[in-house]
Amino acid sequence: MVRPRVFFDFAIGTELVGRVIFELFNDTVPKTAENFRALCTGEKGLSAVSQCPLYYKNSIIHRSISDFMIQGGDFTKRNGTGGESIYGGNFPDEDLSRPLDSEGLLCMANRGPDTNGSQFFITLRECPHLDGSFQGKHVVFGRVLKGYEDVVKKLAEVPVDEKYRPKLPIVIVKCGELELRRAVRPSDVEMKQSERSSKRRKARSESSGSERDRRSRRKKSKRRTSESIVTNDQQNEEVHKETEEEYDARLEREERERIEAAKRRELERLERELNSRKDGGVRFKGRGRMKFIDPELHHRQ
């Protein structure tokens, strides 16, 4: 069973930082994992309670404590006092047995037992003080699969005020779910091949023996043969089921392509901006050029 994978694209101010990919533990906490997954896709639409989109897109990281965690998910009030689940309001804790024993864990933020909504936090180290039997334990429902070193740590370095609020907005500019490519069942492929064979046999039996019909059959046979070759190649590709290693390799390739495309767009923008300038790209503003006068050589008489 492959666990769901979702992603956040983060920006600090107007600067795009990169993508973080999470793996969700739907095998141990299915309700919590489904809540987070649906809030990443926005598929639930508007909330009946707050009339806000049930969607993490454009929400912020509202709390960041160095060497501890970064927290977000409040898409209603954006200050840590709001947020809601896809189930309407809060929902109870599922599994509190998993310890917060490493960095990069994805956990539900709460105000006590059974008060899970949409707020979450990502650990920056192990947090043994959050384990135990006292109230306020947190459900661990996922982990950072990719992007911890180059994205999450960069987010944690943003300066904060006395209330641990980032001084620059850390925004989730895009989010969603990553899916494995679905493979066609072999039985479906065999059924389609048998249907095409029976149609060809029927056409041969019903055809006349005239020269014109024979020429027509030859042309159709050639065309069908070429189409069959292409179709078989496509079916062979569809039957091949993507493994988890191929899935990871594809994600890395797509991430590199996305970063390269963003760099190309930025270079094109800078080139257009440079070409649009006049006077060799330099403009002097104000009443005139500034000129340095050496007091040793130029002095008033």
Side-chain angles (χ1 to χ4, degrees), residues 7 14 17 21 27 29 33 38-39 48 80 106 108 120 128 143 157 199 210 226 245 260 265 289 291 295:
F7 69 91
T14 58
V17 180
I21 298 176
D27 49 345
V29 283
L39 291 174
L106 187 59
M108 291 301 294
F120 62 88
R143 67 186 179 100
E157 294 172 355
K199 288 180 181 179
S210 64
S226 62
E245 290 77 12
E260 291 174 358
R265 288 195 298 269
R289 292 186 303 171
K291 185 178 179 182

Side-chain angles (χ1 to χ4, degrees), residues 185-202:
R185 292 179 299 179
S187 58
D188 295 339
V189 177
E190 293 173 0
M191 186 180 298
K192 291 179 181 179
Q193 290 176 343
S194 62
E195 288 176 357
R196 282 194 294 271
S197 299
S198 63
K199 288 180 181 179
R200 285 196 293 268
R201 285 194 298 270
K202 185 178 180 180

Side-chain angles (χ1 to χ4, degrees), residues 259-276:
I259 293 174
E260 291 174 358
K263 289 180 179 179
R264 285 196 299 272
R265 288 195 298 269
E266 181 65 15
L267 289 173
E268 291 172 358
R269 185 188 66 80
L270 293 174
E271 186 177 0
R272 288 194 302 269
E273 183 180 339
L274 183 62
N275 292 335
S276 64

Side-chain angles (χ1 to χ4, degrees), residues 29-265:
V29 283
K31 192 171 183 178
T32 310
E34 174 60 20
N35 178 64
F36 190 82
R37 186 202 65 78
L39 291 174
C40 287
T41 63
E43 63 193 53
K44 299 299 182 180
L46 291 178
S47 164
V49 179
S50 64
Q51 296 302 312
C52 292
L54 294 168
Y55 201 10
Y56 282 137
K57 185 177 180 180
N58 295 326
S59 64
I60 62 171
I61 298 297
H62 62 267
R63 191 174 181 221
S64 176
I65 303 178
S66 178
D67 198 32
F68 177 26
M69 61 84 181
I70 59 174
Q71 182 174 337
D74 182 0
F75 51 80
T76 59
K77 297 184 179 179
R78 301 169 68 87
N79 59 9
T81 62
E84 61 182 289
S85 73
I86 63 173
Y87 309 113
N90 298 326
F91 65 97
D93 299 323
E94 280 190 284
D95 180 14
L96 298 172
S97 62
R98 189 185 293 269
L100 283 73
D101 56 359
S102 68
E103 60 185 18
L105 292 177
L106 187 59
C107 315
M108 291 301 294
N110 59 42
R111 297 186 301 276
D114 302 325
T115 57
N116 300 292
S118 60
Q119 292 193 44
F120 62 88
F121 64 90
I122 304 170
T123 60
L124 302 178
R125 62 171 175 85
E126 60 180 12
C127 305
H129 62 286
L130 297 180
D131 297 329
S133 59
F134 58 86
Q135 291 185 348
K137 288 179 63 175
H138 302 272
V139 176
V140 181
F141 65 95
R143 67 186 179 100
V144 176
L145 200 62
K146 293 182 181 178
Y148 182 82
E149 294 293 333
D150 52 344
V151 180
V152 175
K153 284 189 174 181
K154 190 172 183 179
L155 303 180
E157 294 172 355
V158 175
V160 298
D161 61 15
E162 65 278 1
K163 294 185 178 180
Y164 303 107
R165 296 175 299 195
K167 293 183 178 180
L168 293 173
I170 302 175
V171 185
I172 301 172
V173 295
K174 187 178 180 182
C175 54
E177 182 180 9
L178 302 172
E179 294 184 347
L180 283 169
R181 291 188 178 127
R182 293 181 175 86
V184 178
R185 292 179 299 179
S187 58
D188 295 339
V189 177
E190 293 173 0
M191 186 180 298
K192 291 179 181 179
Q193 290 176 343
S194 62
E195 288 176 357
R196 282 194 294 271
S197 299
S198 63
K199 288 180 181 179
R200 285 196 293 268
R201 285 194 298 270
K202 185 178 180 180
R204 283 196 297 268
S205 63
E206 294 177 353
S207 62
S208 64
S210 64
E211 184 65 25
R212 180 181 299 175
D213 290 339
R214 283 197 294 272
R215 285 198 299 267
S216 177
R217 283 202 305 274
R218 290 194 199 100
K219 291 180 180 178
K220 289 181 180 179
S221 177
K222 290 180 181 178
R223 185 165 62 249
R224 285 171 181 164
T225 302
S226 62
E227 290 175 355
S228 177
I229 293 172
V230 174
T231 304
N232 288 337
D233 291 341
Q234 293 174 348
Q235 289 170 352
N236 291 334
E237 293 177 358
E238 290 176 342
V239 170
H240 174 68
K241 186 174 182 180
E242 189 176 38
T243 64
E244 190 163 354
E245 290 77 12
E246 292 172 338
Y247 179 38
D248 291 335
R250 177 169 62 84
L251 290 181
E252 292 179 359
R253 184 175 66 256
E254 291 174 353
E255 178 69 6
R256 287 195 301 270
E257 292 173 354
R258 187 181 65 83
I259 293 174
E260 291 174 358
K263 289 180 179 179
R264 285 196 299 272
R265 288 195 298 269

